[in-house]
Amino acid sequence: MGEITWFLSLMKTLEMRGYKVIHCKNESIFLTNYANNINNSDVCFLMDYITIPKLIHCLQGVISKIYCMHYWKMNCDKLKKLGKTPDNQYIRLKNVLTPFDYYDNSTYLGYNLDVSCRKIFFRKYKKYGVLWGKEAKLIDPNLVGYLCGRGVKFYATSQTPITIDGVTNLGVLPKGKWHQLLSDCKFVLGSGHPRSGPTIVEALYYKTALIGPRAQFPQDTHNANTHFIDDLSNDEIFNIIQNVKFEPDAKVDELCSSDNFNKRIDAIFDL
């Protein structure tokens, strides 16, 4: 779902700005639109890393207009494995767009959270913590059990049962209720997986702090509201939770600002 949220963020932003977005639901539709627009210098082709190997052998002479939407870090060797055009060209690494800044030669796109996260004006859930991950195996039961024993309460959104006193499992929530939960809760607690993911920027958008191992957060999301628990004792983690609150931070503004997202779009697509 992280990739879908990210793709829609770009598509909806372009549409809101008055650009035509043609969403191709299969390779045949894509190739038809490609043939109809190959000579149009204003057209760009946005593709994911799964679709590109299926179609790149059909794309002649438009390599600068092909962009690879890739959620994770990319390098030249991985890019070459996606294949090349009939005129022996590979997609350029700078044409690889990523949701986070991986500080390599790909291009940081980010999210426009104003189009994917609704404004919330009321409270529904109690100010508990939220366990990050849709499977029971993605939480640390020893840590969570310890924290619950100290009086901390959690919501979980797991599709598998979690039987820890102090944890209320809501099951997997639709997007609107998930965003409501992020807005209402006190903090989000991760245990290492899933890494990255839109939960990070969504929580920051709703002014909710995140707590978890450093590796769970891409470098450019590190800010005053991401608290790392590597090598901390359970008691030290409890103390972080007791005192956690959301702090104004320039990096959060950069990650969550629609103005900054639009500036990056302008630069990427020369708009």
Side-chain angles (χ1 to χ4, degrees):
M1 290 302 295
E3 287 89 340
I4 294 173
T5 298
W6 179 47
F7 290 2
L8 289 176
S9 178
L10 175 59
M11 292 166 63
K12 289 181 178 179
T13 300
L14 291 171
E15 288 176 334
M16 290 170 59
R17 292 181 55 172
Y19 295 100
K20 183 178 181 180
V21 176
I22 302 173
H23 181 204
C24 302
K25 297 183 179 181
N26 56 52
E27 288 88 348
S28 177
I29 295 174
F30 179 91
L31 289 173
T32 297
N33 281 282
Y34 163 74
N36 291 338
N37 291 282
I38 188 172
N39 295 319
N40 186 342
S41 61
D42 293 330
V43 171
C44 294
F45 302 94
L46 299 167
M47 308 165 69
D48 62 35
Y49 71 99
I50 296 173
T51 305
I52 287 174
K54 300 176 183 178
L55 296 176
I56 194 168
H57 64 282
C58 302
L59 309 182
Q60 181 79 34
V62 291
I63 199 67
S64 65
K65 293 292 185 177
I66 300 174
Y67 292 86
C68 175
M69 303 283 287
H70 197 268
Y71 205 86
W72 306 103
K73 191 170 184 177
M74 178 67 83
N75 58 42
C76 289
D77 289 337
K78 291 179 181 178
L79 198 56
K80 287 183 177 180
K81 291 180 180 179
L82 299 183
K84 55 186 177 181
T85 63
D87 48 351
N88 293 316
Q89 296 187 75
Y90 295 99
I91 295 174
R92 300 181 298 185
L93 190 54
K94 76 172 186 176
N95 279 30
V96 175
L97 309 183
T98 59
F100 301 108
D101 193 343
Y102 294 122
Y103 300 97
D104 55 14
N105 291 316
S106 60
T107 297
Y108 167 47
L109 174 61
Y111 289 85
N112 183 355
L113 295 172
D114 284 343
V115 303
S116 59
C117 295
R118 66 187 179 95
K119 301 295 183 184
I120 293 175
F121 303 100
F122 61 92
R123 176 177 293 279
K124 176 179 179 180
Y125 298 101
K126 295 180 180 179
K127 206 167 183 62
Y128 295 169
V130 168
L131 298 177
W132 185 1
K134 294 184 175 66
E135 295 279 354
K137 65 183 180 182
L138 299 178
I139 74 167
D140 181 346
N142 294 324
L143 172 60
V144 175
Y146 170 84
L147 294 172
C148 289
R150 296 287 301 270
V152 181
K153 293 186 180 297
F154 291 96
Y155 288 112
T157 58
S158 174
Q159 59 189 352
T160 51
I162 296 178
T163 55
I164 299 175
D165 287 342
V167 177
T168 301
N169 187 17
L170 303 172
V172 177
L173 297 177
K175 184 172 71 171
K177 290 183 178 180
W178 168 243
H179 289 162
Q180 179 78 52
L181 181 62
L182 287 179
S183 175
D184 292 352
C185 72
K186 183 180 180 182
F187 63 93
V188 176
L189 177 65
S191 298
H193 294 282
R195 297 179 64 179
S196 303
T199 292
I200 300 170
V201 288
E202 289 172 340
L204 296 175
Y205 180 84
Y206 288 116
K207 296 182 168 30
T208 298
L210 296 121
I211 302 170
R214 179 178 294 268
Q216 197 160 8
F217 303 88
Q219 183 180 342
D220 83 310
T221 67
H222 295 186
N223 66 90
N225 300 288
T226 49
H227 303 272
F228 306 124
I229 59 175
D230 307 77
D231 303 320
L232 296 185
S233 67
N234 288 351
D235 191 52
E236 289 171 323
I237 296 170
F238 173 76
N239 289 334
I240 290 176
I241 288 172
Q242 288 294 96
N243 298 297
V244 72
K245 61 180 180 178
F246 194 86
E247 302 285 353
D249 188 273
K251 175 51 68 174
V252 173
D253 294 338
E254 163 67 18
L255 289 166
C256 298
S257 165
S258 59
D259 287 342
N260 287 325
F261 183 81
N262 276 289
K263 288 177 183 176
R264 291 192 291 271
I265 285 181
D266 289 343
I268 291 168
F269 301 113
D270 194 25
L271 301 179

